[in-house]
Amino acid sequence: MTAQVTVTGLGATTPLGGDAPSTWAAMLAGESGIVSLDDDWAQELPVRIAARLRVEPTTVLDRVQARRMDRCEQVALVAAREAWADAGRPAVDPERLAVVVGTGTGGALSLLGQDDILEASGVRKVSPHTVPMLMANGPAAWISIELGAKGGAHTPVSACASGAEAIALGMDLIRLGRADVVVAGGAEACIHPLPLAGFAQAKAHSTRNDAPQEASRPFDTGRDGFVIGEGAVLLVLERAEFAAARGARAHATLAGAAVTSDAHHITAAHQDGQVRAMRRALADAGLGPLDIGHIHAHATSTPLGDLVEARSIAEAVGTHPVVTATKSMTGHLFGAAGAAGALAALLAVRDGVVPPTRNLTDPDPAVGLDVVAGGPRTVRPRAALTNSFGFGGHNASLVLTAAP
C-alpha cells in the first residue's frame, strides 16, 4: 500500500503578500505584484520591471541572523516558519523529519554582490559568510537547522520546475517510509542586473516598462515574455496516518506527482515531455483526465511557451478543465514558481474557487482552453493539476485532491 500524503501547513512570502492567506486573497482579487524598478542600476537596462516582495524578510527575521543569510535563504526561512506554525508544529522524531527546498539560482545575489566587493575592495572586505550564503542548499540547510530536521535536507535544482520537483521528492520520501513529515517547496531571489540583462538579451522577459502591472499576460495575444519575481512557498507534507493520529487539520491531499525530462533543447519547451509529466502524474494519483476539474498552468507569458503548454494540456488532459495562470500577478518566481502553483491549486480545491488570470483581455484563439479571466470563478473540482516546466527540459506535474 502506498502511504497517502496530506498537506497540513502552508507558508508563503511573495510579491502579493507576506504570508499564505494574504497571497491567496490577492490572487482571488486579481492584484499585481509587479512594479517599476527605480534603482540606479536598473535605469540603463532594457528591462526595468520586476515582481518584488510585498514584505521585506529583514523585517521579520532577527537582524544578526538575516545578515548572515542570502535573500533566497531569508525568504525560505520566513515561509517555512509560517508553514510549520500552520501545521501545528508537529511533534515528530527528528530522524523522521526531512526538508526539501528547490531553487533555480540559490544565492546568486550573494555571489554577484561579493564578487563586486572583491573586485572593488579586495579580499579582506569579502564576507566570511559568503560560501554559506551563495550555496544552493542554503535554504534547505537553514530550515533543517531551525526545525531540527535530521531526516535529510535536499535541494533539487531544476530551473523553474525546482519547487514542484521538491514537493514531488517530499512525497516520495513519505511514500518510501523514510519520513513522516517533510517541509517542501521552493525559494528564489535574484532580481539583479545580470539576470535581467540576460533574459532581455534572450528575448524572454517582457519589456513593458511603462505598464508593469500589465506586463505579464499569459495566454493573451499581446504577451511578450515573463516578469522576474522573488519569493518562497513551503508546504508541510505528512503521512496521512501520522497527521490523523495527532489530530492535524489537512488542507488537501497530494495525490500524485511526476517528473520528466525532454532531452530536446536547453531552453525550448517540448510538448512530449510535458504530456508525459501530466499523464504520469494522473496515473500516480490513480485518476483519469476527466477527474481533473482545474489546472494551474505554468504559463509564463512567453509567445511560444504558453502555446506549447496549451497544446500539451489539450493532449494529456483535454480542454474541459478550468485553467488559470497566477504568474500574471506574481511574476515568475523561478525556483519557487512550482511551489506557488501548488499553493494556488491546493487552495482552489480546498476553497472551491479559481483565481483569475490577470491581463487576459484578448485571449489567443490558438490556446483553446477555458482560462479564467476578469474575476474568480466558483468551481468544485474533484482534483487539480499544476504544471512546472524549466530551462533544460525539466517538467514536473502535481495532482491535488480535497482532504478526506
Side-chain angles (χ1 to χ4, degrees):
M1 294 292 291
T2 299
Q4 189 177 59
V5 178
T6 59
V7 182
T8 60
L10 310 176
T13 181
T14 74
L16 296 179
D19 53 32
S22 60
T23 294
W24 179 234
M27 283 183 179
L28 293 178
E31 296 180 10
S32 175
I34 300 171
V35 298
S36 296
L37 295 174
D38 55 9
D39 309 74
D40 290 341
W41 55 257
Q43 301 317 302
E44 299 303 318
L45 292 173
V47 171
R48 297 184 297 279
I49 55 175
R52 283 185 150 158
L53 289 173
R54 186 65 61 91
V55 177
E56 281 295 313
T58 51
T59 65
V60 180
L61 300 173
D62 174 77
R63 182 177 62 86
V64 174
Q65 184 183 39
R67 289 184 61 186
R68 296 175 178 176
M69 304 171 72
D70 180 80
R71 189 173 178 85
C72 180
E73 297 169 339
Q74 292 173 356
V75 295
L77 189 57
V78 168
R81 285 178 175 176
E82 181 193 359
W84 194 246
D86 185 52
R89 297 180 173 85
V92 56
D93 180 348
E95 296 281 353
R96 305 286 298 168
L97 172 61
V99 177
V100 190
V101 184
T103 183
T105 63
L109 291 183
S110 292
L111 174 62
L112 294 167
Q114 291 300 314
D115 183 65
D116 288 343
I117 291 171
L118 175 63
E119 294 293 331
S121 304
V123 173
R124 295 180 64 84
K125 294 297 183 181
V126 172
S127 170
H129 304 292
T130 295
V131 173
M133 289 194 295
L134 66 84
M135 61 191 195
N137 60 305
W142 274 109
I143 294 170
S144 70
I145 294 168
E146 171 96 1
L147 301 180
K150 298 182 178 180
H154 308 272
T155 307
V157 179
S158 45
C160 307
S162 302
E165 188 168 336
I167 293 170
L169 176 56
M171 182 184 73
D172 286 345
L173 291 173
I174 293 173
R175 284 179 167 182
L176 290 169
R178 296 176 181 172
D180 292 317
V181 182
V182 180
V183 179
E188 201 76 88
C190 59
I191 298 175
H192 181 278
L194 184 59
L196 283 167
F199 286 127
Q201 289 295 95
K203 308 298 183 186
H205 201 290
S206 173
T207 55
R208 291 176 184 264
N209 296 318
D210 296 332
Q213 295 193 345
E214 299 173 15
S216 183
R217 35 196 329 113
F219 301 126
D220 191 83
T221 56
R223 64 189 185 275
D224 70 331
F226 60 73
V227 178
I228 189 172
E230 59 181 354
V233 175
L234 274 298
L235 310 180
V236 175
L237 311 179
E238 295 192 41
R239 182 167 55 86
E241 291 182 356
F242 182 87
R246 70 180 189 87
R249 169 205 56 193
H251 291 287
T253 297
L254 179 57
V259 175
T260 68
S261 53
D262 294 341
H264 167 68
H265 190 275
I266 198 65
T267 57
H270 196 275
Q271 192 169 325
D272 170 70
Q274 296 181 3
V275 169
R276 285 187 290 111
M278 285 183 265
R279 285 177 172 169
R280 289 183 182 183
L282 285 174
D284 188 49
L287 300 175
L290 293 179
D291 293 314
I292 300 298
H294 167 51
I295 292 179
H296 182 279
H298 180 65
T300 63
S301 186
T302 60
L304 181 60
D306 288 8
L307 192 55
V308 171
E309 183 179 10
R311 291 169 177 168
S312 297
I313 289 172
E315 180 179 346
V317 183
T319 58
H320 62 277
V322 172
V323 178
T324 195
T326 57
K327 290 182 182 69
S328 58
M329 296 174 274
T330 65
H332 193 353
L333 305 186
F334 300 145
L343 176 71
L346 179 157
L347 291 172
V349 169
R350 188 194 72 178
D351 296 350
V353 59
V354 174
T357 301
R358 185 181 171 90
N359 299 321
L360 186 57
T361 57
D362 186 18
D364 186 340
V367 169
L369 301 175
D370 181 11
V371 183
V372 180
R377 189 185 302 181
T378 300
V379 180
R380 286 288 176 187
R382 175 187 175 192
L385 182 146
T386 180
N387 288 327
S388 296
F389 310 128
F391 280 4
H394 302 279
N395 310 297
S397 294
L398 308 173
V399 175
L400 295 132
T401 59

